Amino acid sequence: MPTMPRVVTDQRAKFNNDELFRGLSRDSEVRFTGHRDRPHQERQVRFQQDCRDGHAEIAFVTSGTNLELLFAPADWPMEGNQAPEQRGYADFTEAGKVRIVSHFIMDGVCTIWRGYIEIETLNGIGKLDFDEDRAEVENVMLQQERERHRERLRVVEERQQQFHESQERLPELDAQSDTLHFHRKSKPETPPSD
């Protein structure tokens, strides 16, 4: 069964020309939006815990765009020679700030969110960048899916053609069958000889 493509055909063009992406690709004020029903001090603690667990809810203040950022939890082991940048992360090394990198597909475009949020205020600066490496991987997957779809379509069309050809030959086969049946009935039966 064909699957819905995860990305658009020309991701780079969409990222560069779409009004939403143009706005989000500039350094903008962001805010942690998780646990809004809790007191500020509790939100600070929960923000840090969420980051250690590998997720954070943020919003771009100017546009109101909300994102659920996902990245590798702090206790995940590195795979092979994979750099932290490739898997996303939350970095607590800078005093009073959490730097976050998160990869995701937004509106059919591979993106990277990069920014920081201050632990005290739960505000910060962030932006979206085009994720060239993941876009290439997704484009290869898109082309493979299209090729599988073309092959399935070719098989279906082949089967339909065979069916139509058999339906066209059906009256011809029926006539041959009727003629053969008629010849069998018209032959006199010979009595068995003793």
Side-chain angles (χ1 to χ4, degrees):
M1 171 178 261
T3 59
M4 183 72 171
R6 292 166 31 116
V7 294
V8 297
T9 304
D10 191 350
Q11 296 181 63
R12 171 63 83 179
K14 182 167 182 177
F15 185 83
N16 290 337
N17 299 321
D18 186 279
E19 189 65 34
L20 176 65
F21 287 116
R22 283 202 314 253
L24 299 179
S25 66
R26 293 186 289 269
D27 281 339
S28 303
E29 185 181 350
V30 295
R31 180 172 294 145
F32 174 67
T33 58
H35 312 286
R36 283 181 268 202
D37 59 331
R38 309 308 308 158
H40 187 74
Q41 288 179 330
E42 185 178 338
R43 289 184 71 225
Q44 292 170 322
V45 171
R46 287 187 182 219
F47 165 67
Q48 293 174 70
Q49 186 57 51
D50 286 355
C51 288
R52 285 186 182 88
D53 291 342
H55 64 92
E57 297 172 31
I58 63 110
F60 285 87
V61 175
T62 54
S63 68
T65 303
N66 289 281
L67 299 173
E68 168 99 28
L69 302 177
L70 301 174
F71 39 88
D75 58 355
W76 267 28
M78 296 281 259
E79 294 179 16
N81 59 357
Q82 187 181 35
E85 176 76 18
Q86 292 175 313
R87 64 186 191 138
Y89 62 87
D91 180 7
F92 289 86
T93 56
E94 197 171 336
K97 291 182 182 177
V98 179
R99 291 205 172 271
I100 300 172
V101 173
S102 177
H103 300 265
F104 55 93
I105 297 173
M106 180 175 175
D107 290 345
V109 178
C110 292
T111 61
I112 305 172
W113 189 90
R114 289 185 176 100
Y116 70 87
I117 296 179
E118 295 175 358
I119 295 171
E120 179 64 35
T121 64
L122 300 177
N123 294 328
I125 301 291
K127 68 177 190 167
L128 283 183
D129 289 322
F130 181 66
D131 190 342
E132 190 75 46
D133 295 336
R134 291 194 190 221
E136 287 178 28
V137 170
E138 288 291 334
N139 282 335
V140 167
M141 291 170 45
L142 177 63
Q143 294 308 318
Q144 290 170 343
E145 180 61 31
R146 284 185 173 164
E147 189 54 43
R148 284 190 297 272
H149 179 70
R150 278 194 281 279
E151 179 60 25
R152 286 189 297 266
L153 194 57
R154 186 191 62 73
V155 168
V156 167
E157 288 172 348
E158 224 173 69
R159 288 180 183 164
Q160 284 179 336
Q161 180 65 27
Q162 290 170 352
F163 175 77
H164 289 302
E165 287 172 1
S166 70
Q167 292 299 309
E168 289 171 1
R169 288 194 335 251
L170 202 54
E172 188 180 305
L173 293 173
D174 283 344
Q176 288 175 356
S177 175
D178 288 346
T179 305
L180 183 62
H181 186 66
F182 175 74
H183 285 302
R184 284 190 183 153
K185 283 187 173 182
S186 61
K187 287 186 181 178
E189 287 189 28
T190 55
S193 55
D194 289 327

